[in-house]
Amino acid sequence: MGVFVLPSSAFGVLLPHFPVVSLGTPRGQFHLVLGSSSNRKRKNLLTGNWQCRPRIVAASNRDNSKDNVTDDEDGSLLGSYEMLEMKEDELVEARRALSEVKARQAALEKEREQLLEDFASSEAKQKEYVASVLHDKELAVSELESTKSLFHQKLQESVKEKFALESKLVLARQDAVELAVQVEKLAEVAFRQATSHILEDAKLRISAAETLAAESAFQIDEQIRKSTEGTIFSIIEESKDAINKALDVAENAIDEATQAVAVFTDAVNPIDVIASAQSENIKLQGAVSDLEAQLLVSESELDRLKLELQQAQVQANAAELRSSNAEKALLEFQELSRKKALEQEEEIRSLLEKIKKEAVERKKALSKAFKAELESIKAAVDASKEITCSRDNAYMRRCEALQRSLRTSESALKMWRQRAEMAQSLLLKERSEKEDDEDVIYIANGGRIDLLTDDDSQKWKLLSYGPRKEIPQWMARRIRSIRPKFPPRKTDISKALNSSFKSLELPKLDEVWSIAQEKLREGDMLTEHVIEKEVIEKKRKALERALQRKTVKWKRIPEETKIEPGTGTGREIVFQGFNWESWRRQWYQELAFKAADLSHSGITAVWLPPPTQSVAPQGYMPSDLYNLNSSYGSVEDLKSCIEEMHSQELLALGDIVLNHRCAHKQSPNGVWNIFGGKLAWGPEAIVCDDPNFQGHGNPSSGDIFHAAPNIDHSQHFVRKDVKEWLYWLRNDIGYDGWRLDFVRGFSGTFVKEYIEASNPAFAIGEYWDSMAYEHGNLCYNQDAHRQRIVNWINATGGTSSAFDVTTKGILHSALHDQYWRLIDPQGKPTGVMGWWPSRACTFLENHDTGSTQGHWPFPRDKLTQGYAYILTHPGTPVIFYDHFYEFGIRDVLTELIEARRRAGIHCRSSVKIYHANTEGYVAQVGNMLVIKLGHFDWNPSKENQLDGRWQKFIDKGADYQIWLRQ
């Protein structure tokens, strides 16, 4: 279409020239046709109801509004107005352009919604990917945990197998000690090497896998987070900007179209409207072009974001690949570790099977060797017995030869006596002739002159050999027992020297030969014979003891197991390892040196002195309970002594004072009732009925000890502190059990609580009560006395033993030909031993009754008889230090301990009393031992109720005799 130019004269004003018609209807533009039309046409323009036929529209001047514009057949304009003609299709084009704008806007809206959907989907994919990564991570962690649990399970199974192996090896060690020790060490070394290697390898691999998985997961999370956050934020921001700009342009276009339509509606000046419309059209075109450019930019940005998303996906795929590789490596590691574990298990099993086979073979070999050795030992014992018999026969032949020589000497004695009489008669004749020394009478030597006249006589041997070392008492006793017919010493030599009769050259006292008091000299046949016999006897006893110990080790006796807490194994023999004066020396060091000797003698437990710092040096007035530096030595000495006891398989019993405690400070009113040290108690820890120390606690549950504050054990804090102290002594210091001092001062229920808290191997309570006397004599019935002790034991719930003071008091009188006191009306032993033997600790003396205190000493001449009674009867016997090391009866005690061990007597052994009268006492203890006390004639063959063969083991004449069953 062409361009129409309106002359300025047609409108009465000068108008600028501008195009009205579109140049080919560019994209996004629309055309307006102005002219005089009716309201219907305006409405059609607004509503879009355009007619198809062409029309000619004429516009009139505002000043000449009455002029009409009509159609001319010739097509020319009428009047002074110039008509503008435009086709209706341009309006259609404008409408189409507007609809295209709306369509573009809708497309932008759809694209925005699509972008939001893509963003939401990418977010969902990201979440899914993160969830999958986390799930994979959890799976990897769970796999690692399952691997760890499987490994720990295998390790526990290996440990259980190890413990089972160790138990089997312990049993093997019981059968063959040396072999079992070697096998156990080998098994432990092999198992430790294998398990340590497996553990180290598995730990290293697991830690490497965990580190790799954690690093890869962290890198993947960081990359995904950074890429997604940057992409999402940039997309959201650019989309928001583009959408806002598009919305602004669309709103502006709608406003312009509305204004254009309003021009037609309100009859606004069309020139202004056209000008404004054209300017707005230009602006709209610029905005549209800007929007298109921004859309292109956003599309390029979207492409860039897609590329980055693809790169992120590639990185995520790479991370997923690495994660899968890590999983594969983890699976390979698990498979490899499983294979290695199986291989190690197979190796260990094969090694254990090999060790077991070797152990069985060695066990068989050792059993054969042991049997052979046992046979050889038996053969050696038989040979030694034969040698002993032969030596005894030789000795008897020697004695017969000596007797023959004595008879020969006696026959020669007669001749010398005749010669002496002749010499005496000659001397008397000479004296009567000279008449000098009328009161002197010479007599013959009476059989000893022959020893003085020969150069080879015994006198010259004794004088030439010089002094000899003193003969020991045991040797003298042995020599006396084998010289019944040797010449006796002259008992009247001193009288002869001091009398008025003068004999021929009588020897001096040290020149007279007597085999009973001859001093030892190397080379004497008799001395060598006696010594050799003693050595053989000692070797025989040592062999028997060694065999017995091995037999007990290999064949465990069920009764040796711990039955109840108060009795230990039931076979304890307690040794009181101190007396009242032991504090004057470094006692712990001295006692430690005696541990090996005590163990070899058969002692099983040693009662040590009170360890606590004390006001009195003996230790029975304790102050600071945690201070163990006492008069007996330092705490280091105490620990060393206990360690030495344990090395010799001895129990260490601590002497514990719980009834009372000495205070450190005075109260404001001058009473010593403030305690110091770690247990800083006050008057509330002292019983209120203690008359001397003004306690604020509850009344005492026992008797009052007046020398020190009595502790109130009903207080919870007191019991708590005492239990902690006992636990410390038990675990840190090393004590195995307790001797409880003065338990009459508090209830046995507290003792039960303390023993259950400290769990000692053995416990003894000192419940010392007065016995019943009538007219100065001990009453026969002492049931009330032993009932009080039994009541205290019962209050402890049977967790503690008690000293059998009743038996000690009865033995004082019974061993003086009153053996009828040793049986009660029910036929049982008197004392606690007869009622509750497993809780009775029998004794003769201790640091209070004997030693330098001597409150109630046992009769000295009845000590061996008393120990023969308590060491062969049930209960737990206690041996006093002074008796064992200072009274010279150690061999007697060792022999009695050996008899108790051989007979298998324990604290619950049965007692059957056959005789108990003024003449003596006879009882069978268990099934293996019979003891007789007293001087009456008795042996097992005279007892109809005793069956079996019995051999005398100890014979002390009128004191006691012991038989063991063959």
Side-chain angles (χ1 to χ4, degrees):
M1 295 180 64
V3 178
F4 294 91
V5 180
L6 298 178
S8 59
S9 60
F11 295 92
V13 292
L14 184 62
L15 296 174
H17 298 277
F18 58 89
V20 178
V21 186
S22 169
L23 297 175
T25 63
R27 182 181 177 185
Q29 298 180 2
F30 59 92
H31 304 282
L32 296 176
V33 179
L34 303 177
S36 60
S37 62
S38 62
N39 291 331
R40 178 179 57 80
K41 291 180 180 179
R42 295 193 193 103
K43 291 179 181 178
N44 290 334
L45 179 62
L46 290 174
T47 57
N49 295 325
W50 300 93
Q51 295 182 7
C52 294
R53 65 176 183 274
R55 293 180 179 277
I56 298 172
V57 182
S60 62
N61 193 356
R62 185 172 298 194
D63 295 334
N64 194 5
S65 60
K66 292 181 179 181
D67 294 337
N68 297 324
V69 179
T70 61
D71 295 335
D72 193 356
E73 295 177 359
D74 295 334
S76 59
L77 295 174
L78 299 177
S80 60
Y81 297 100
E82 191 177 21
M83 303 299 293
L84 179 62
E85 185 176 75
M86 184 176 291
K87 293 181 179 180
E88 286 184 349
D89 55 350
E90 291 181 354
L91 293 176
V92 173
E93 288 292 329
R95 179 177 174 273
R96 288 177 182 173
L98 184 59
S99 63
E100 287 178 0
V101 171
K102 291 181 179 181
R104 286 291 254 191
Q105 183 178 358
L108 287 175
E109 283 291 327
K110 289 182 180 180
E111 190 174 5
R112 175 176 174 274
E113 291 175 358
Q114 185 66 31
L115 288 175
L116 290 176
E117 289 177 358
D118 293 338
F119 172 71
S121 64
S122 65
E123 233 179 3
K125 287 182 180 179
Q126 178 194 0
K127 289 181 180 179
E128 291 178 358
Y129 185 75
V130 171
S132 64
V133 171
L134 292 176
H135 180 64
D136 295 337
K137 183 179 178 181
E138 289 176 356
L139 287 177
V141 172
S142 64
E143 287 291 331
L144 289 175
E145 292 294 329
S146 63
T147 305
K148 286 182 181 179
S149 63
L150 181 62
F151 178 76
H152 287 302
Q153 184 179 359
K154 294 290 185 183
L155 183 60
Q156 289 177 359
E157 293 176 356
S158 301
V159 171
K160 290 180 180 178
E161 291 180 359
K162 174 191 171 186
F163 288 148
L165 176 61
E166 288 179 350
S167 63
K168 293 180 181 178
L169 292 176
V170 169
L171 294 176
R173 183 177 60 185
Q174 294 172 358
D175 297 331
V177 178
E178 296 179 357
L179 172 65
V181 171
Q182 294 176 0
V183 172
E184 185 177 4
K185 288 183 180 178
L186 180 61
E188 286 181 355
V189 171
F191 184 80
R192 286 175 183 171
Q193 289 178 353
T195 52
S196 63
H197 179 70
I198 294 172
L199 282 171
E200 291 176 357
D201 192 7
K203 286 180 180 178
L204 290 175
R205 291 181 178 276
I206 289 172
S207 61
E210 287 180 350
T211 305
L212 182 61
E215 289 179 355
S216 61
F218 179 75
Q219 291 177 0
I220 291 169
D221 292 339
E222 286 294 321
Q223 291 177 0
I224 292 173
R225 184 179 61 79
K226 289 180 180 180
S227 61
T228 52
E229 286 181 358
T231 303
I232 291 167
F233 288 153
S234 60
I235 290 172
I236 290 172
E237 292 296 329
E238 291 173 357
S239 299
K240 286 181 179 179
D241 294 338
I243 290 167
N244 291 329
K245 288 181 181 179
L247 290 174
D248 293 337
V249 171
E251 290 177 357
N252 291 330
I254 292 171
D255 292 338
E256 293 297 332
T258 305
Q259 290 178 2
V261 174
V263 170
F264 291 99
T265 306
D266 300 331
V268 184
N269 188 359
I271 300 302
D272 295 334
V273 172
I274 290 171
S276 61
Q278 288 179 352
S279 62
E280 291 298 331
N281 192 9
I282 294 170
K283 290 180 181 180
L284 184 60
Q285 289 177 359
V288 169
S289 62
D290 292 339
L291 183 60
E292 290 178 353
Q294 289 181 0
L295 287 173
L296 293 175
V297 173
S298 62
E299 289 176 357
S300 62
E301 187 67 25
L302 183 61
D303 294 335
R304 184 180 64 80
L305 291 175
K306 289 180 180 180
L307 181 61
E308 290 181 356
L309 184 60
Q310 291 176 357
Q311 293 177 356
Q313 289 178 352
V314 171
Q315 292 178 355
N317 294 330
E320 186 175 0
L321 181 61
R322 286 197 297 272
S323 178
S324 62
N325 293 332
E327 290 178 359
K328 290 180 181 179
L330 180 60
L331 294 175
E332 291 176 358
F333 161 69
Q334 291 175 354
E335 185 68 21
L336 183 61
S337 62
R338 186 178 63 81
K339 290 181 180 179
K340 286 188 176 180
L342 292 175
E343 292 176 358
Q344 294 289 342
E345 288 179 1
E346 290 297 329
E347 291 177 359
I348 292 173
R349 288 177 182 174
S350 61
L351 181 61
L352 292 179
E353 291 295 332
K354 185 178 179 181
I355 290 172
K356 289 178 182 177
K357 291 180 181 178
E358 292 178 356
V360 171
E361 293 175 357
R362 291 185 181 180
K363 180 180 178 182
K364 292 180 180 178
L366 283 177
S367 62
K368 292 180 181 179
F370 172 71
K371 290 179 181 178
E373 183 181 359
L374 186 61
E375 293 295 332
S376 63
I377 290 172
K378 289 181 179 179
V381 172
D382 295 336
S384 64
K385 289 181 179 179
E386 292 178 358
I387 293 172
T388 305
C389 292
S390 62
R391 290 183 181 275
D392 289 338
N393 294 331
Y395 168 71
M396 295 302 296
R397 289 193 296 271
R398 173 69 175 166
C399 290
E400 291 175 357
L402 289 173
Q403 289 177 0
R404 287 194 299 269
S405 64
L406 285 174
R407 285 194 295 269
T408 305
S409 64
E410 286 177 357
S411 63
L413 177 63
K414 294 179 181 179
M415 181 182 66
W416 282 105
R417 188 172 294 172
Q418 292 175 0
R419 291 179 183 180
E421 290 176 355
M422 291 174 61
Q424 188 175 6
S425 63
L426 292 174
L427 290 174
L428 289 174
K429 287 180 180 180
E430 290 179 359
R431 180 59 184 166
S432 60
E433 291 177 356
K434 295 180 180 180
E435 294 181 355
D436 295 329
D437 298 329
E438 296 180 354
D439 296 330
V440 177
I441 301 174
Y442 290 90
I443 61 175
N445 191 26
R448 292 303 179 96
I449 297 179
D450 55 341
L451 298 176
L452 302 177
T453 56
D454 191 1
D455 292 337
D456 295 331
S457 64
Q458 187 67 25
K459 171 187 175 183
W460 299 114
K461 288 183 181 180
L462 294 175
L463 294 177
S464 62
Y465 287 145
R468 305 177 186 180
K469 58 183 180 180
E470 292 294 334
I471 186 170
Q473 293 295 326
W474 64 269
M475 183 67 72
R477 290 194 299 269
R478 292 287 180 180
I479 293 174
R480 288 195 199 98
S481 64
I482 61 175
R483 61 160 189 81
K485 295 182 180 181
F486 280 3
R489 173 185 283 274
K490 295 288 286 185
T491 57
D492 58 346
I493 294 178
S494 59
K495 294 180 180 179
L497 291 176
N498 296 326
S499 66
S500 59
F501 294 93
K502 291 184 178 180
S503 63
L504 297 176
E505 298 177 356
L506 292 175
K508 296 180 181 179
L509 287 175
D510 55 351
E511 297 175 356
V512 178
W513 179 72
S514 176
I515 192 69
Q517 295 186 0
E518 182 184 7
K519 298 180 182 180
L520 292 177
R521 186 190 64 186
E522 295 180 359
D524 287 346
M525 295 297 296
L526 182 62
T527 304
E528 289 183 355
H529 178 68
V530 173
I531 292 175
E532 188 174 4
K533 187 176 181 181
E534 289 292 328
V535 171
I536 292 173
E537 187 66 20
K538 287 182 179 178
K539 288 183 178 179
R540 182 183 65 79
K541 290 186 177 180
L543 285 173
E544 289 180 356
R545 290 176 184 174
L547 288 174
Q548 184 70 17
R549 283 196 296 270
K550 287 186 178 180
T551 305
V552 171
K553 256 184 185 177
W554 291 329
K555 297 179 180 180
R556 287 188 174 272
I557 302 174
E559 293 174 345
E560 286 187 350
T561 58
K562 185 174 180 179
I563 302 174
E564 297 180 35
T567 60
T569 62
R571 302 177 184 272
E572 308 299 332
I573 299 177
V574 181
F575 176 80
Q576 182 178 358
F578 64 100
N579 57 28
W580 192 251
E581 304 300 328
S582 297
W583 62 272
R584 299 183 184 277
R585 304 193 296 272
Q586 292 298 315
W587 193 249
Y588 291 142
Q589 298 178 8
E590 292 187 19
L591 192 59
F593 290 124
K594 294 181 172 62
D597 181 45
L598 294 173
S599 179
H600 295 159
S601 299
I603 304 296
T604 64
V606 179
W607 163 15
L608 301 179
T612 310
Q613 181 192 38
S614 172
V615 174
Q618 290 80 12
Y620 291 97
M621 301 287 284
S623 55
D624 186 1
L625 299 183
Y626 279 90
N627 186 354
L628 302 185
N629 296 313
S630 64
S631 300
Y632 300 98
S634 63
V635 63
E636 290 77 16
D637 295 337
L638 173 60
K639 289 183 178 180
S640 300
C641 181
I642 294 176
E643 289 176 359
E644 185 63 22
M645 297 295 170
H646 291 167
S647 67
Q648 298 298 330
E649 298 181 354
L650 296 173
L651 297 178
L653 307 181
D655 200 333
I656 306 302
V657 182
L658 299 177
N659 175 75
H660 50 273
R661 181 186 174 194
C662 294
H664 293 74
K665 299 178 182 179
Q666 290 177 308
S667 63
N669 52 1
V671 178
W672 290 89
N673 56 12
I674 306 297
F675 302 96
K678 187 175 181 179
L679 303 181
W681 299 337
E684 66 276 2
I686 303 174
V687 296
C688 61
D689 51 353
D690 190 336
N692 300 321
F693 299 96
Q694 298 181 4
H696 297 165
N698 298 317
S700 177
S701 57
D703 297 337
I704 297 295
F705 181 81
H706 296 282
N710 288 251
I711 301 303
D712 182 13
H713 292 272
S714 65
Q715 301 288 347
H716 175 73
F717 73 93
V718 171
R719 297 198 306 277
K720 176 178 176 294
D721 292 341
V722 171
K723 286 187 285 189
E724 290 177 356
W725 178 59
L726 293 176
Y727 182 85
W728 175 72
L729 291 177
R730 185 88 165 82
N731 294 276
D732 293 355
I733 306 302
Y735 282 111
D736 301 297
W738 318 120
R739 182 265 182 186
L740 304 172
D741 181 73
F742 197 74
V743 294
R744 279 175 49 195
F746 54 101
S747 174
T749 56
F750 302 130
V751 175
K752 179 178 184 295
E753 186 175 352
Y754 297 149
I755 289 179
E756 289 176 350
S758 58
N759 191 25
F762 196 81
I764 315 172
E766 184 205 21
Y767 195 95
W768 187 357
D769 199 2
S770 299
M771 302 183 71
Y773 289 85
E774 185 176 4
H775 304 297
N777 297 321
L778 184 70
C779 295
Y780 169 75
N781 188 351
Q782 297 293 335
D783 289 350
H785 184 269
R786 59 175 172 174
Q787 184 64 55
R788 290 192 291 270
I789 300 176
V790 169
N791 289 341
W792 180 85
I793 299 173
N794 194 41
T796 67
T799 58
S800 175
S801 302
F803 287 107
D804 194 350
V805 183
T806 312
T807 296
K808 169 183 166 56
I810 292 173
L811 284 175
H812 276 252
S813 300
L815 299 182
H816 289 88
D817 297 335
Q818 298 179 12
Y819 299 104
W820 46 268
R821 293 183 179 272
L822 298 178
I823 183 172
D824 65 6
Q826 289 76 33
K828 298 180 180 180
T830 53
V832 181
M833 181 200 304
W835 283 358
W836 205 343
S838 64
R839 299 298 184 271
C841 289
T842 55
F843 73 107
L844 301 182
E845 273 188 6
N846 57 30
H847 59 285
D848 288 322
T849 63
S851 189
T852 57
Q853 291 202 101
H855 292 317
W856 194 20
F858 199 83
R860 181 70 62 90
D861 59 336
K862 299 296 181 181
L863 275 177
T864 57
Q865 205 172 13
Y867 275 116
Y869 180 81
I870 67 172
L871 285 172
T872 58
H873 279 68
T876 302
V878 181
I879 299 173
F880 186 40
Y881 177 89
D882 293 357
H883 298 162
F884 193 82
Y885 282 110
E886 297 180 1
F887 279 31
I889 59 173
R890 172 182 170 176
D891 294 338
V892 174
L893 296 176
T894 306
E895 197 173 38
L896 290 170
I897 293 172
E898 180 67 14
R900 182 183 183 89
R901 186 190 63 78
R902 290 194 181 190
I905 297 174
H906 51 85
C907 67
R908 295 175 178 82
S909 295
S910 61
V911 179
K912 185 176 182 181
I913 301 174
Y914 293 102
H915 300 282
N917 47 40
T918 57
E919 294 181 349
Y921 169 87
V922 176
Q924 178 183 354
V925 184
N927 296 321
M928 302 294 294
L929 184 143
V930 171
I931 181 173
K932 177 186 78 75
L933 302 177
H935 51 78
F936 74 107
D937 186 15
W938 184 92
N939 59 66
S941 62
K942 295 182 179 181
E943 192 67 44
N944 296 327
Q945 300 178 10
L946 276 174
D947 56 349
R949 297 176 56 191
W950 298 85
Q951 182 181 7
K952 186 179 291 185
F953 184 74
I954 300 176
D955 186 3
K956 296 299 180 182
D959 286 339
Y960 61 92
Q961 293 177 340
I962 295 175
W963 290 266
L964 296 179
R965 185 189 294 271
Q966 291 294 307

